[in-house]
Amino acid sequence: LFRRRGELEYQLRKAQPTHFAEVNTDTVQIGTTVTLTDLDSGKTLTYHILGAWDGDPARNIISYPAAFAQAMLNKPVGASFEADDEAGKLRFRIDKIEKTAAEILNSL
C-alpha cells in the first residue's frame, strides 16, 4: 500500500490540466473524437481520446496512455492500425477525426 501511495502521489505532483480548445485534428491527438471502421466486421465505432484519468469505457472515452489509444495516436484519416485484444489482433481504419464535443468534456 505504501508503494502504491507513493506512485499516486508522484502522479498527482506531475499532473497538469489539459485544455482541448486548440486541438489539432490533422491526426489523432489527445482531445479528439475518432470514428473508425473495424476492417474485419465492417462495423463503425467512435471513441474519444482524452486525459490520463478520463477513461470511461461505457461511454467510449479512452485515456491516452491506454494501448488502444496509443495504437492510433498521431495517425491521419485513412490510416490503418492494429490493436491487440483477448481474441487476437484487431484491424481498424481511421475514417474521421474531430474535436471532442464540449458536452463530453464537461461531463467528466
Side-chain angles (χ1 to χ4, degrees):
L1 290 174
F2 286 113
R3 181 181 56 81
R4 182 67 178 139
R5 177 183 171 189
E7 291 170 354
L8 292 173
E9 287 174 345
Y10 174 75
Q11 289 178 0
L12 284 172
R13 280 193 306 274
K14 291 189 61 142
Q16 297 179 8
T18 306
H19 302 285
F20 302 113
E22 301 299 323
V23 67
N24 180 351
T25 58
D26 292 339
T27 60
V28 177
Q29 300 295 319
I30 301 168
T32 58
T33 295
V34 184
T35 303
L36 309 170
T37 297
D38 181 324
L39 295 175
D40 296 320
S41 70
K43 186 175 180 181
T44 299
L45 308 160
T46 300
Y47 294 98
H48 313 286
I49 312 301
L50 297 178
W53 292 289
D54 294 332
D56 185 350
R59 296 174 47 212
N60 290 346
I61 298 172
I62 303 173
S63 62
Y64 75 87
F68 189 63
Q70 289 293 308
M72 68 178 105
L73 279 176
N74 299 311
K75 291 186 173 42
V77 168
S80 296
F81 68 95
E82 290 184 346
D84 291 322
D85 184 306
E86 308 83 44
K89 290 221 182 276
L90 302 173
R91 301 177 314 123
F92 299 94
R93 181 184 64 238
I94 299 170
D95 296 327
K96 184 177 179 184
I97 303 169
E98 55 193 341
K99 290 182 183 181
T100 299
E103 55 267 13
I104 298 291
L105 297 173
N106 293 335
S107 70
L108 299 173

